Amino acid sequence: MAIHQSKIARNIWLGIENLLLHKLRSFLTMLGVVFGVGSVVAMLAVGEGASKEALTRIQKLGSNNIIINSVKSIDQEGQSTQQSYMSIYGLTYLDHERIRSNFPNVQQVAPAKLIRKESKVGSNTLELRIVGTTNEWFDLVPRQVLAGRVFDKKDVENFSAAVVLTEFGARRLLANKNSIGQPIKIGGDSFEVIGIVKNEQGMAGNIQIPDQQVDAYVPLSTIKKYFGDIFFKRSSGTITFELVELHQVIVQVDDIQYVESTAAGIERMLQNFHKKNDYVMSVPLALLKEAEATKRRFNIVLGSIASISLLVGGIGIMNIMLASVTERTREIGIRRAIGAKRSQIISQFLIETVVLSTLGGIVGLAMGITIPLIITFFAKMPTVITAKSILFPLFISVGIGIVFGLYPAINAARVDPIIALRHE
Amino acid sequence: MDIVRFKNIRKIYEMGAEPVHALDGVDIGFAKGSFWAIMGPSGSGKSTMMNILGCLDRPTSGQYFLQEKDVSTLADDELSDIRLKYIGFIFQSFNLIPQLTVQKNIELPLYYLGWDAERSAARAKELAAKVGLETRLNHRPSELSGGQMQRVAVARSLAVDPQLILADEPTGNLDSKTGEQIMELLTELNKEGTSIIMVTHEPDIAAHAHHRLHMKDGKVERIDSN
Ligand SMILES: Nc1ncnc2c1ncn2[C@@H]1O[C@H](COP(=O)(O)OP(=O)(O)O)[C@@H](O)[C@H]1O
Ligand SMILES: [Mg+2]
C-alpha cells in the first residue's frame, strides 16, 4: 500500500515534469478547462449571491406571512369622481375578524390602519405614517427593540395613547434615547413615546416591506377613537373623502406548508364579501418559490454553457494528449521493452491528463473566485462562494481528465514496442 | 544449462501475397554465462530472433524456453514481467528517454519493479560509477556523446541485475574507438556471469563473443566458436 501510494505520487510528479517540458503548450491546453471552471465558479457565486439576497429580503416579509393591502380599484375611482365625494373601499374590521376566527391554520393576524399625520416634539416636526395596529404586529414584523418596549394587549384594550417610534423617527424628533416617556404631539393629540424599534424598508421582490422609516406604531383602538375611519384627501383642488377601515392585514400561518392553501381560502372568503377588487394579496412564499425557480433556470442555462465550455476544454486536452502519445511513441516503446505493463502505461498517461485538467481546474478556480470579488467591488452585487461551488468544479476537472485522458492513454498502451523501437 | 533455448521456432509474416518466413525452424540453445554474436545479411532474421528472445514478440510456432520454462504462449503482462526481471536490452540507437536525466533513465526499470526512490537512486549511482558516468547523473541524454549514451543504456540494462543481456548492434552508431570501449564493458559483464546475446555485422565486434551464429534466410547457417 505504501509502495502504491508513493507510486501515484511519483506518477503525479512525473506528469508535472512532462507538462513543464512544454510550458506554453500545457498552459494553452489548460485554458479550456480554466475558462470552463472559472465561469462555473463565478456564475455559481453570482447566482448564489442573488438568491441569498432574495431570500433574506423575503425573510424580512416573513415566509409564513400573507400580506393583504387595501387598494382603490379602477372602477371605484371613476365612481367617486362622478357620483360622490366619498369613496369607500378596502379591508374591513369584519374581514380581520373573519380571517382570525375562520381559518384553522391562521396563527396570528395583525391589522393596520395607516394615517399620515404631522407630529411635533418641541420645535422638531416630522410627517409620520401612523400605523394603528395591535400587539400582533410586533410578532409578524419582528424588529429589534432599541429602547423601551413595544405595546401589548393591555395597551390595545385600554386605548393607551402610547406610540412606538422607529430609530429614524426618534432621531428626528427626540433629543436622545432617554426620551422614552416623553410626550409627542400627533395631529392635535398628545401621545407618550414608550419605545423605539429598528426598521426595514423598500421592496422585497415586488412586495412592499410592511414597515417604513417614518412609521409610528399606535394601538388600533386608540387610533380609531382619536381619528375615526373617514379621512379627507385634497387632490387637484377638490376634496374627496375616503372611508377605509383597514389599510393592511398581515396574516401569519402556523406552518409553511399551509401558506398557499390558507391564502387561497382567504381569497375565496374575501371575494364573497367584496363586490369590488379593492384589495391585493401578496404571498412572500410564492416570491421565494419564484426566486428558487429562477435560480433553477439560471443553473440550467449556466450548467449548459459550462458543460459546453468544459466539453471543449476536455476535447482540447484529449487532442493534445493524442498528439503527445504519437510524439512519445518511442518513449512508450522503451518503457514497454524495459518491462512496463500496458496498465502502467495507461496510468502514466491518465495521471498526466488528470494533472493537466486538475491544474486547469485550480487556475480556473482562482479565476472564478477573483471575478466575483471584482463584481462585488465594482457592481455592488452580492456574491457568495460556497464549499460546494469550489469542490464541484474541482471534482469536474478531475473527471474531465479521466474521461478525456482515457482514450489517449489506451492508445498509448496499444503501442507495439517492436514497431516503436524499429525506426531510427 | 541453457539460459534460453529455441525449439523449431518459426515466425511467419503474412503481409503481401506471399508469407515471409522470418524465422524458418530454428533450433538452438544458448548456454548460461555464454557470450554470443548473431551475424548475417540484412533480412536474414536477426532482429526477429532478438524480438522473440526478448519476449517482445511471440513465435508463430515452436517453443521458446527461458531458464527451462516455456514462455512462447504467455500473456502480455507475463511477458512484461519476464522482460522486467530477467532481460536487459541495449539498442543500436541507445533508446534513452530524452526528458529524463541519466539517473532517472538508469532507475527506470527499478521504478517498474516497485523500488522506492531512495534505494533506486543509490543503485543508479552505483551503476553510473560502474560505467564511468558518476559525474553525469543530472545530465540529459542530449548533453552526452554517443558513447556516453550507450554506457547509460548499459547501466540501465543492468539495473535489475538481469540473467540475460540482449544487444542489437550496440556499436552500430559508434565510432570504432568508443565501440571498442562498449565491448570491453560487455566483456567485463559477461565475465561477471551475465549471459549476452548480441547482433552485429562487424567481424571485429563479433570477435569479442565466444560463439558466432550465422543466419541466412531465417535459418541457422553455421556456428563458429573461439
Ligand atoms: N513486422 C514485419 N512484417 C512483415 N515482415 C517483416 C516484419 N518484420 C520483419 N519482416 C521480414 O522478416 C524478414 C526478417 O527480418 P529481420 O528479422 O528484421 O532481419 P534482419 O534483422 O536480419 O535484417 C525480412 O524479410 C523482413 O522484411
Ligand atoms: Mg535488423
Side-chain angles (χ1 to χ4, degrees), chain A residues 10-11 330-331 335-336, chain B residues 76 83 95 99 111-112:
Chain A
R10 278 164 80 179
N11 262 323
R330 179 171 282 268
E331 174 191 334
R335 289 178 182 272
R336 291 281 283 133
Chain B
D76 193 75
R83 289 198 297 274
N95 280 334
Q99 67 266 33
Y111 168 72
Y112 289 112

Side-chain angles (χ1 to χ4, degrees), chain A residues 3 7 10-11 18 21 328 330-331 334-342 344 348 417-418 421 424, chain B residues 51 56-57 76-77 80-81 83-84 89 91 93 95-97 99 108-109 111-112 114-117 156:
Chain A
I3 286 173
K7 243 188 166 170
R10 278 164 80 179
N11 262 323
N18 269 318
L21 283 178
R328 287 157 69 189
R330 179 171 282 268
E331 174 191 334
I334 295 167
R335 289 178 182 272
R336 291 281 283 133
I338 279 172
K341 294 188 174 69
R342 285 207 169 103
Q344 288 170 318
Q348 181 194 336
I418 298 172
L421 295 174
E424 300 304 306
Chain B
N51 289 340
L56 288 167
D57 204 358
D76 193 75
D77 271 4
S80 294
D81 214 42
R83 289 198 297 274
L84 179 61
F89 287 95
F91 305 93
S93 48
N95 280 334
L96 302 177
I97 296 182
Q99 67 266 33
L108 204 55
Y111 168 72
Y112 289 112
W115 283 29
D116 63 45
R156 178 182 67 188

Side-chain angles (χ1 to χ4, degrees), chain B residues 131-218:
Chain B
V131 299
L133 286 174
E134 60 271 43
T135 59
R136 296 282 192 276
L137 279 169
N138 293 317
H139 287 58
R140 313 255 162 200
S142 57
E143 297 159 358
L144 302 177
S145 70
Q148 288 172 324
M149 283 197 269
Q150 195 61 301
R151 278 189 276 161
V152 175
V154 171
R156 178 182 67 188
S157 75
L158 294 175
V160 300
D161 211 355
Q163 306 278 319
L164 174 64
I165 283 182
L166 296 175
D168 197 344
E169 304 210 31
T171 60
N173 281 356
L174 302 176
D175 60 59
S176 56
K177 191 166 155 266
T178 41
E180 204 50 48
Q181 287 168 354
I182 293 296
M183 288 320 296
E184 276 165 25
L185 200 52
L186 291 181
T187 306
E188 191 188 311
L189 292 177
N190 178 247
K191 284 201 179 110
E192 288 166 16
T194 312
S195 313
I196 297 176
I197 303 173
M198 165 182 77
V199 169
T200 183
H201 50 247
E202 297 169 72
D204 296 354
I205 297 297
H208 289 271
H210 308 149
H211 312 279
R212 277 154 299 277
L213 170 72
H214 297 266
M215 296 289 294
K216 202 180 178 201
D217 298 333

Side-chain angles (χ1 to χ4, degrees), chain A residues 258-318:
Chain A
Y258 301 122
V259 169
E260 280 167 322
S261 60
T262 305
I266 292 173
E267 176 96 64
R268 267 196 304 280
M269 186 276 284
L270 288 176
Q271 270 167 6
N272 273 339
F273 292 98
H274 290 247
K275 301 283 164 294
K276 299 161 294 198
N277 248 341
D278 56 356
Y279 61 89
V280 168
M281 188 179 270
S282 325
V283 184
L285 179 68
L287 220 59
L288 187 68
K289 289 196 167 167
E290 203 176 289
E292 270 166 8
T294 307
K295 188 184 161 190
R296 251 197 311 279
R297 271 195 296 275
F298 183 73
N299 279 348
I300 289 169
V301 173
L302 152 97
S304 335
I305 294 171
S307 338
I308 290 169
S309 62
L310 289 172
L311 184 73
V312 171
I315 291 170
I317 285 185
M318 179 154 88

Side-chain angles (χ1 to χ4, degrees), chain A residues 319-338:
Chain A
N319 192 21
I320 289 295
M321 288 312 291
L322 283 172
S324 171
V325 166
T326 309
E327 200 173 83
R328 287 157 69 189
T329 300
R330 179 171 282 268
E331 174 191 334
I332 297 163
I334 295 167
R335 289 178 182 272
R336 291 281 283 133
I338 279 172

